[in-house]
Amino acid sequence: MDHTSSGISVRGLTKRYGEVLAVDHLTFDVEPGKVTGFLGPNGAGKSTTMRMMLGLDKPTEGSVLVNGRRFAEVEEPLRHVGALLDATSAHPGRTGRNHLRVAARTNGIPLDRVEEVIDQVGLGAAAKRRIKGYSLGMRQRLGIAAALLGDPEVLLFDEPVNGLDLDGVRWIRDLLRGLAAEGRTVLVSSHLMSEMQQTADRLVIIGRGRLIADASVDEVLLGLGRRHVRVRVPDPDLLAQALGARGVTTHRVGADELQVDGCPAESVGEAAHRLGLPVHHLAEVDQSLEHAYLELTASAVQYHGHTPEGALT
Amino acid sequence: MSTAVLTRTVHAEWLRLRTVRASWWFLAAGVVSMLGIATIAGLEERAESGGPAASAWLAAVITTMPGQFAFYGLVLLAVTADYSSGGIIPTLQWTPRRMVLFVARTLVPVVVATAAAVLLALAATTLVWAMVPEFTMPWGEADVLGTVALVVGSGCLLSVGLGFLFRSTAGGLVTVFLVMLVLPLILPQFGYDWMLDIAQVLPGYGAAYLLFGEDMGITTTWAVTVLAAWGVGALALGAARLVTQDADN
Ligand SMILES: Nc1ncnc2c1ncn2[C@@H]1O[C@H](COP(=O)(O)OP(=O)(O)O)[C@@H](O)[C@H]1O
Ligand SMILES: [Mg+2]
């Protein structure tokens, strides 16, 4: 596939805000026809990377091309790239409909299309109300409507499920999958790996501005992942003892929660059952991903305590 | 810069301007202050009937003096509202060419505000002329409307420039009031020459001279040059910040 003319190509992208190195020499491609999950803990540099994709922030180094061009050179940007960044960014005094009409005007999009996207995102009657009265979920829908307005080939969504209820989350997931199925390039960021595992085909994982993984979801889970199990029961010590007697390692990770290594969820559940313990929560978790997260967060904290040069090594 | 893109952006800016209430509040403030002052002046002049004949055009400059600030507020907010609300993020996604945005966002509010000021100055004059039988309204003196346009237009350019430069409504308003009103008014009061020198290079001093044409120690050319320099200077700095810096830092 020709990365230079289709999709998004990020090359050595770096952004420094004063002493904060927000994005650190990132290189990856986002391909059409797939949902690419852009994953990383809070503060990893996802939003900053997306802002640079849209020319909002200038890279300190490196470059990013969307469909082979710098975003700021595109004449009718909404017809090529739709984006939802911070959903709260809109003039609160304008109605949702007028917000979208302004967007349509700027890119020569017919005003009929505004009504179509209002229906598509389910904003409905709220469109004639002022944005100041919108819930976060409604603002997300408005932002998504703006992103869809120009029927673009490339779509960027920064944490789009924030503030949405369960129906909304499912709706977004279907929307993203549908857009990718139509052959569009879809990049969606999240700090929740569970969400991305269900939605994305590929994962680009970053931490502290650096690339950690760039692979398909399966590769990430297989290559990085031995799974472990998290279980919550009223008497975790009792369960830990029982599992320990069978040579299974456990760690206490909360008042009533255990992490169980190298043992499938079924066996943990059965062990609890034999002890007569009610299981409040039982889940298989990808250990490596979670570990990577913890380590990154830990070193990020460390980094803040040291000289900024430490981040360059 | 393609004209099609600029035309669209101008249309979008016009839609933006008229779909926020603040624009209408500032316009209402301009209407109330200018026509209100004209009405009061008209009533006073009429009360002392049989007074000397005078030109009603004086009303144009008397009402512009306070009324101008409503228009500076209007255009300043047209720029800074996007920064306080975060709206600059979608704005620059829709119009990533920043010079295009700059030109449209300067042009639309400044033209609208200046036109409104000129129309209101004309309305104020007509009102006074209609109220006071002794007053005349010779069309030969209508060039005062040009002065109103010059003063309000350059004050608006200054305000827009400061809006792009400071990205803050408060910072912009305070600066506009300082250089257009407060400093030119109080600096000469102290009686020091150097303070008068400073006052004379402030845009408000030139504006007052152009409106009232009193003996203020400067020439028309000087006044126009000072006003233009402040307007162009603020615009250049504002444009530089918009074009070179991150969207909303
Ligand atoms: N405008 C800014 N000025 C200074 N630091 C910033 C700015 N924007 C982001 N940062 C910092 O850059 C890092 C990455 O932030 P961000 O891109 O928002 O991360 P994410 O979206 O992954 O949560 C964080 O440490 C954040 O504090
Ligand atoms: Mg973010």
Side-chain angles (χ1 to χ4, degrees):
Chain A
M1 202 193 81
D2 182 3
H3 292 308
T4 56
S5 62
S6 193
I8 306 171
S9 79
V10 176
R11 292 291 174 270
L13 198 62
T14 301
K15 180 67 184 182
R16 185 179 274 288
Y17 295 108
E19 302 212 322
V20 180
L21 189 59
V23 174
D24 187 2
H25 295 92
L26 273 188
T27 295
F28 61 88
D29 290 302
V30 186
E31 297 167 10
K34 289 177 185 155
V35 175
T36 302
F38 193 24
L39 198 54
N42 284 326
K46 306 179 296 293
S47 300
T48 304
T49 303
M50 290 173 129
R51 289 163 64 92
M52 288 191 283
M53 288 174 173
L54 296 167
L56 295 168
D57 286 5
K58 311 237 147 116
T60 309
E61 261 179 67
S63 65
V64 52
L65 299 182
V66 181
N67 283 346
R69 297 168 70 187
R70 285 201 322 119
F71 180 77
E73 288 165 3
V74 179
E75 184 138 308
E76 294 175 329
L78 280 180
R79 294 182 188 274
H80 302 280
V81 185
L84 164 70
L85 294 189
D86 184 356
T88 58
S89 312
H91 195 297
R94 213 170 266 126
T95 65
R97 177 174 278 110
N98 278 332
H99 176 80
L100 294 171
R101 283 185 173 165
V102 171
R105 277 276 158 78
T106 55
N107 278 245
I109 295 165
L111 293 186
D112 293 349
R113 178 69 188 148
V114 168
E115 303 306 318
E116 280 176 32
V117 291
I118 286 173
D119 287 343
Q120 190 180 351
V121 302
L123 211 50
K128 65 172 190 291
R129 300 207 329 250
R130 299 207 279 157
I131 295 170
K132 104 175 20 157
Y134 284 18
S135 65
L136 181 55
M138 286 158 78
R139 287 173 192 239
Q140 296 279 28
R141 287 174 189 266
L142 180 66
I144 290 167
L148 297 174
L149 196 61
D151 198 19
E153 312 100 70
V154 177
L155 289 129
L156 311 180
F157 299 100
D158 193 5
E159 313 248 7
V161 304
N162 281 357
L164 291 182
D165 55 18
L166 271 179
D167 278 347
V169 172
R170 209 167 301 132
W171 171 73
I172 291 253
R173 198 179 298 154
D174 292 344
L175 176 75
L176 297 177
R177 301 242 34 103
L179 291 167
E182 290 164 4
R184 299 176 214 260
T185 306
V186 181
L187 181 67
V188 53
S189 79
S190 175
H191 62 278
L192 300 170
M193 42 184 160
S194 55
E195 176 56 33
M196 284 298 96
Q197 279 168 329
Q198 294 175 63
T199 314
D201 305 296
R202 271 191 91 75
L203 291 178
V204 172
I205 306 175
I206 65 169
R208 284 203 299 146
R210 289 186 218 167
L211 192 68
I212 296 175
D214 174 7
S216 74
V217 173
D218 290 342
E219 281 165 352
V220 169
L221 292 180
L222 285 173
L224 295 177
R226 282 176 308 132
R227 297 198 147 186
H228 69 233
V229 172
R230 286 280 182 106
V231 60
R232 211 153 61 220
V233 290
D235 191 349
D237 289 336
L238 191 61
L239 180 61
Q241 234 169 26
L243 288 168
R246 289 162 47 191
V248 176
T249 328
T250 59
H251 315 269
R252 188 70 170 269
V253 289
D256 56 355
E257 189 160 353
L258 282 183
Q259 177 181 315
V260 186
D261 293 339
C263 179
E266 290 84 351
S267 316
V268 176
E270 279 161 18
H273 181 71
R274 274 196 298 275
L275 293 167
L277 289 174
V279 173
H280 294 152
H281 175 82
L282 182 65
E284 286 190 332
V285 185
D286 186 288
Q287 186 181 24
S288 301
L289 272 185
E290 185 143 324
H291 255 124
Y293 269 44
L294 289 175
E295 268 162 30
L296 285 164
T297 339
S299 45
V301 171
Q302 215 172 33
Y303 152 62
H304 285 305
H306 287 291
T307 56
E309 279 76 18
L312 293 172
T313 55
Chain B
M1 194 182 296
S2 118
T3 44
V5 173
L6 184 60
T7 309
R8 277 182 209 153
T9 314
V10 163
H11 279 140
E13 286 305 306
W14 168 232
L15 184 58
R16 274 199 175 95
L17 192 66
R18 63 188 177 80
T19 53
V20 292
R21 287 191 192 173
S23 305
W24 297 101
W25 282 115
F26 277 114
L27 186 63
V31 170
V32 168
S33 63
M34 290 180 75
L35 297 189
I37 288 167
T39 308
I40 292 167
L43 287 174
E44 275 181 5
E45 291 297 331
R46 190 158 66 171
E48 33 185 283
S49 65
S55 167
W57 287 108
L58 191 58
V61 295
I62 288 175
T63 55
T64 297
M65 199 54 210
Q68 59 181 321
F69 292 96
F71 300 106
Y72 304 154
L74 192 159
V75 298
L76 182 72
L77 219 71
V79 175
T80 54
D82 241 7
Y83 291 104
S84 51
S85 68
I88 191 69
I89 297 298
T91 295
L92 286 176
Q93 279 171 52
W94 305 339
T95 309
R97 298 173 183 200
R98 300 201 182 177
M99 257 339 259
V100 174
L101 181 72
F102 181 80
V103 171
R105 188 156 283 186
T106 302
L107 208 60
V108 171
V110 171
V111 167
V112 168
T114 307
V118 168
L119 284 176
L120 282 171
L122 176 62
T125 305
T126 314
L127 195 63
V128 169
W129 170 74
M131 289 173 77
V132 189
E134 294 86 8
F135 276 22
T136 58
M137 195 174 157
W139 283 108
E141 291 175 25
D143 59 352
V144 67
L145 293 179
T147 307
V148 169
L150 179 73
V151 167
V152 177
S154 43
C156 283
L157 291 177
L158 170 68
S159 307
V160 165
L162 292 175
F164 278 114
L165 182 62
F166 293 153
R167 300 183 172 182
S168 134
T169 311
L173 272 185
V174 167
T175 310
V176 168
F177 268 105
L178 279 181
V179 300
M180 285 300 290
L181 185 68
V182 179
L183 293 177
L185 208 65
I186 63 165
L187 283 180
Q189 310 293 323
F190 291 99
Y192 294 107
D193 280 351
W194 63 272
M195 284 197 174
L196 183 63
D197 289 345
I198 294 177
Q200 287 179 344
V201 295
L202 293 174
Y205 199 92
Y209 175 80
L210 290 174
L211 288 175
F212 296 111
E214 282 167 18
D215 181 20
M216 292 167 65
I218 58 172
T219 63
T220 301
T221 313
W222 175 269
V224 172
T225 310
V226 165
L227 269 174
W230 275 84
V232 170
L235 281 181
L237 292 175
R241 178 152 194 212
L242 177 69
V243 169
T244 60
Q245 292 202 351
D246 290 345
D248 63 353
N249 276 323

